[in-house]
Amino acid sequence: RQIIATNVSEFVLTPDEAQVLFLSGSGSATRLYVAPADASSPPVVLAGPGALESPRPSPNSALVAYIQTDPSTGFRALLAVAISGSAPLLLNGPPVAERGVLDFVHAPAGGALVYREDRALDEVFELWSVDLGLVPRRLGAALDGFRDVATYQVAPDGDWVVHLGDVQVDQTDELFGTPIDAGTPLVAYNDPLPGGPVLGDVLGFVASADGADVVYRADQDTDEFFDLYAARAGGRGAPRRQSAPLTDEGDVLADFRLTPDGERVLFKYTLAGGTRLYTSALEGGPALALDICSPSSELVFSPDGLRVLYLQNSLALRQVALDGSQAPVQLTGTVVGVPSQFTIRADGVDVLFLATSSGHARLYRVRLDGSDSPAELGPLLTGTGDVTSYLVTPNSSRVVLSADAARDEVF
């Protein structure tokens, strides 16, 4: 173990995992540093001192963007600096007192950033994009009153920006998209919703990996009954109800996900106190029931993208094929206790999970295909010992865990 720095408030690894970026100091005396991740040389100051926050490296690990607040004007600047060292560039100029950037993301493909800023009106946050041409572009029409962009996502291909907000009607959140270069007008994905603070809202969304589709959750057809819909990113055609033919008397829960191949959406649907796990194809067709599922269960895809791991209830950890071609396989039962924190190894062979019995947690391994019984891993624990957390090394050869194995409450 080597100490890279002290008094660190934020840190992040570069995507190539070669360097660590971090903020050290406090208030207006904060500095942005870069250092090799292996601590082979001392940290180098990239920016500061100042009121710095939110350092984020670019996808190619060449730049870092961050926010800096001017203490005299209150302007929140979005700046970028080369990780190899350079003078910082202001990306959201010109400065406007008491206004500026709220948050930002790098486009996954690199070359541009997308951010929210209240440039025109105080506390009215609009969506903008900027590249190294340093010309900010508003994404969509100018907003006024109490209308805002609430959240946003850049499609993985980096071409489209999807965002959620009450852009057209105050307090009615709807889903919109635009090319990242603002080359065409705003596209509305959902059908028109009734206006007002209660009727009709889009509450979550995700863009497909190729940027072609947007899947969203909304009470588009019946107020307060949430279904799942898909729309083409360019706004072509009508939205498709992914949860059909399930009735609108139930609800699609918030934690829906696209499958790794991007062809299907996985979701939980609750009706009359029961929750089931479903998938449906983005290209159309009825939703396919997979199994009963705990409404609070995490959903973990296998590395090959063919199966999902989940809790059927508080004691049963199960896996099922995403295409429904095989029956669910139960991996645990009442013997080991209540499962939690489950992970599939990168090689796709084993599942690791914590299980709590009689108030104490242990780490177990079981085959993903269900061909063996759970086996306890880690050091021999006393009756009061616990495993609190664990990590699997990238090559799946070892497990690092935190436990009070030698002495109670000493981890």
Side-chain angles (χ1 to χ4, degrees), residues 2 24 32-33 35 76 88 97 131 140 164 173 185 249 270 283 303 411:
Q2 299 188 61
S24 181
L32 173 62
Y33 293 83
R76 300 182 300 277
D131 56 27
L164 182 66
D173 286 334
E249 296 174 354
T270 296
E283 65 182 18
F411 293 93

Side-chain angles (χ1 to χ4, degrees), residues 77-361:
L78 179 61
L79 297 138
V81 63
I83 290 177
S84 60
S86 67
L89 292 174
L90 175 63
L91 303 181
N92 67 321
V96 180
E98 302 300 330
R99 307 278 175 80
V101 169
L102 178 65
D103 50 35
F104 69 94
V105 297
H106 288 275
L113 293 95
V114 177
Y115 60 95
R116 287 190 296 169
E117 182 179 43
D118 58 346
R119 170 162 293 271
L121 295 171
D122 188 37
E123 297 297 316
V124 176
F125 291 100
E126 300 174 310
L127 199 60
W128 298 76
S129 71
V130 66
D131 56 27
L132 293 182
L134 305 183
V135 180
R137 300 175 291 267
R138 180 188 281 114
L139 301 182
L143 303 180
D144 57 20
F146 296 96
R147 297 182 295 158
D148 282 293
V149 172
T151 186
Y152 56 97
Q153 177 187 343
V154 183
D157 64 1
D159 292 335
W160 277 79
V161 182
V162 183
H163 63 276
L164 182 66
D166 54 351
V167 171
Q168 293 185 334
V169 180
D170 184 35
Q171 299 189 59
T172 298
D173 286 334
E174 298 181 280
L175 195 61
F176 303 90
T178 180
I180 198 168
D181 59 5
T184 61
L186 198 65
V187 172
Y189 292 125
N190 55 273
D191 285 341
L193 300 175
V198 176
L199 301 177
D201 278 293
V202 177
L203 293 189
F205 68 93
V206 63
S208 63
D210 61 4
D213 293 276
V214 177
V215 179
Y216 64 93
R217 176 175 173 259
D219 54 348
Q220 182 169 299
D221 295 326
T222 305
D223 185 40
E224 294 302 315
F225 289 94
F226 289 91
D227 283 315
L228 207 58
Y229 302 86
R232 301 295 292 176
R236 303 183 304 277
R240 307 177 299 278
R241 183 170 174 255
Q242 294 296 134
S243 44
L246 304 175
T247 72
D248 59 8
E249 296 174 354
D251 277 309
V252 173
L253 302 187
D255 54 345
F256 61 92
R257 301 182 59 186
L258 289 177
T259 55
D261 62 9
E263 296 182 357
R264 305 181 70 85
V265 60
L266 178 71
F267 64 94
K268 302 171 191 169
Y269 176 81
T270 296
L271 177 65
T275 302
R276 285 186 175 272
L277 194 61
Y278 290 83
T279 65
S280 63
L282 291 187
E283 65 182 18
L288 173 67
L290 298 178
D291 196 9
I292 297 171
C293 180
S294 169
S296 60
S297 174
E298 184 182 1
L299 304 174
V300 177
F301 292 118
S302 60
D304 62 9
L306 301 179
R307 297 180 175 276
V308 63
L309 191 64
Y310 58 97
L311 292 175
Q312 185 196 43
N313 54 47
S314 62
L315 292 175
L317 181 62
R318 308 185 83 169
Q319 60 95 341
V320 68
L322 288 166
D323 61 4
S325 60
Q326 298 177 6
V329 176
Q330 185 148 323
L331 305 179
T332 68
T334 59
V335 177
V336 298
V338 179
S340 63
Q341 297 185 36
F342 42 90
T343 303
I344 302 176
R345 279 186 6 182
D347 59 12
V349 175
D350 292 323
V351 175
L352 301 180
F353 63 95
L354 297 183
T356 302
S357 179
S358 301
H360 297 285

